[in-house]
Amino acid sequence: MPIVVQKYGGSSVADVEKIRKVALRVKETRERGYQVVVVVSAMGDTTDELLALAKQVSPDPPRRELDMLLTCGERISMALLSMALQEQGVPAISFTGSQSGIITNDTHSQARIVEVRPYRIQDELARGKVVIVAGYQGVSFKREVTTLGRGGSDTTAVALAAALSAESCEIYSDVDGVFSADPRVVPDARKLETLSYDEMQELASAGAKVLNAQAVEFAKAKGIVILARTAHTAGTGTAVQEWVAPADTRVKGVTAEAEMAVLSAAVEAVKLPELLEFLDARGVRGRALAFDGLMGQGRTFIAVPLQDVHGLEVLKRDVGARFGEAVTPREEVGTVTAVGAGMNADWSYLRRALGVAEELGARVHAVHTSPLQLTLLVDKQHLKPLTARLHREFLGA
């Protein structure tokens, strides 16, 4: 029997009634002749609530203990879904990440999967059971509980699909696939039927929340097609895969990222390797947006997504203690990114983007370009209007 891996996000298992609906969907998949492995996130806002609880104890919680705390959320979801399936007459069993054989490196809060040993899962599938796996977590080679960073349940699902040679990996959320922009910001955003791995990874790393960037990276390496679908209605979703038929437009989507801070460093006062070593030692990941002397400012900008930075105030304090006024943390800026294959083959998109920003009165602090993306660093107050205008400029809606 072929294997299918299904992943359900926190909103899909937010309460008991939704968990029962997920159980019905899993049951229907099993009745169509599939062996089913289900990866679940924590219920609703459980992860945020646990994180807030930790912050009441410590402004910068020890990452090991934070992992021990946050992994509780997925364990609740997996056990309840297993119970719901058994109530419907479907044999099921739940496993934590470590029980599932998810082996990671030893980086707490942002671990990466290095190996999957799905022996217990394979044994239970052979016994006719649905296997429920707690997403977002694993165990390091030092036998420490680890988490994979925000959105890490996607990575769990893709990694298991690869290890089990699954027929498909289905990622279920509130929306039916990936859109050309956030529909809450751009009501006319289009659903994308297909996306390449590279395009999806760029969108995810730039702020699109539908899929996790590391999961897409893993899928590309293993050749796993990801199907992003809604858990609530029947829909075609979006297929993320290696090859995508050429489209009429280079730009596939426009997305914004507000949950970030930017470290602005004076290039004449700070050696960039020293600053990067400082960030690496604290597990702070970021995207370099601009280097030396952009627009005469003589500064380097490093964007730091805040989703896995669990002690921002402490980080700012440490930056000040180490570098003084030479490095300035700035929280009033964010990024708007357009993604598409070959969009920087010439300067036309950059020229048009800068023109739109000027029309809106949005100061562009920095620009980052690559073969797949064009990113503008602007004040947060301009993120939504600039996203909407660039979507209309590039995609005509």
Side-chain angles (χ1 to χ4, degrees), residues 109-127:
S109 293
Q110 298 180 20
R112 294 181 67 87
I113 296 174
V114 296
E115 187 179 358
V116 180
R117 303 171 184 171
Y119 309 124
R120 293 191 67 183
I121 293 176
Q122 292 167 326
D123 288 345
E124 296 300 337
L125 289 175
R127 295 185 179 103

Side-chain angles (χ1 to χ4, degrees), residues 92-107:
I93 187 170
S94 63
F95 287 147
T96 65
S98 60
Q99 290 173 319
S100 304
I102 306 293
I103 313 300
T104 75
N105 61 15
D106 62 350
T107 304

Side-chain angles (χ1 to χ4, degrees), residues 129-363:
K129 294 182 181 180
V130 170
V131 179
I132 318 298
V133 176
Y136 174 65
Q137 61 185 258
V139 62
S140 76
F141 51 85
K142 295 180 179 179
R143 299 186 180 180
E144 290 282 347
V145 172
T146 56
T147 62
L148 308 178
R150 281 302 178 109
S153 293
D154 292 352
T155 309
T156 303
V158 174
L160 287 175
L164 295 167
S165 300
E167 182 176 288
S168 63
C169 181
E170 302 169 355
I171 307 291
Y172 289 93
S173 66
D174 278 345
V175 293
D176 185 29
V178 183
F179 284 73
S180 57
D182 186 340
R184 294 169 297 183
V185 177
V186 183
D188 294 329
R190 308 165 182 170
K191 185 171 76 68
L192 304 171
E193 298 299 326
T194 58
L195 272 173
S196 71
Y197 292 125
D198 291 337
E199 289 168 336
M200 186 66 249
Q201 192 170 359
E202 294 285 352
L203 282 170
S205 64
K209 306 299 183 185
V210 179
L211 283 173
N212 173 273
Q214 186 184 154
V216 181
E217 176 188 335
F218 207 102
K220 179 182 178 180
K222 302 297 182 180
I224 301 296
V225 176
I226 300 175
L227 303 175
R229 295 173 170 169
T230 176
H232 307 301
T233 59
T236 56
T238 299
V240 181
Q241 57 197 38
E242 181 63 44
W243 180 83
V244 178
D248 294 334
T249 177
R250 292 180 190 170
V251 177
K252 289 294 184 68
V254 182
T255 188
E257 178 63 272
E259 295 299 315
M260 65 183 300
V262 170
L263 298 180
S264 175
V267 296
E268 67 277 6
V270 177
K271 294 181 179 179
L272 185 58
E274 183 181 355
L275 176 56
L276 297 178
E277 182 181 7
F278 171 87
L279 296 176
D280 273 341
R282 286 155 181 78
V284 177
R285 297 176 180 171
R287 289 188 293 147
L289 293 182
F291 293 98
D292 306 355
L294 181 73
M295 297 169 63
Q297 294 180 36
R299 303 192 74 83
T300 294
F301 295 95
I302 299 178
V304 178
L306 296 180
Q307 59 183 4
D308 292 314
V309 176
H310 300 303
L312 179 59
E313 294 304 316
V314 175
L315 174 64
K316 291 193 294 184
R317 181 198 68 195
D318 291 348
V319 167
R322 176 70 175 274
F323 300 102
E325 296 182 357
V327 179
T328 306
R330 300 175 59 182
E331 299 176 68
E332 79 281 5
V333 291
T335 57
V336 176
T337 300
V339 170
M343 63 174 298
N344 287 312
D346 56 45
W347 297 116
S348 62
Y349 283 96
L350 177 57
R351 286 190 289 104
R352 291 159 66 186
L354 293 174
V356 169
E358 185 177 2
E359 290 175 16
L360 290 174
R363 180 186 176 189

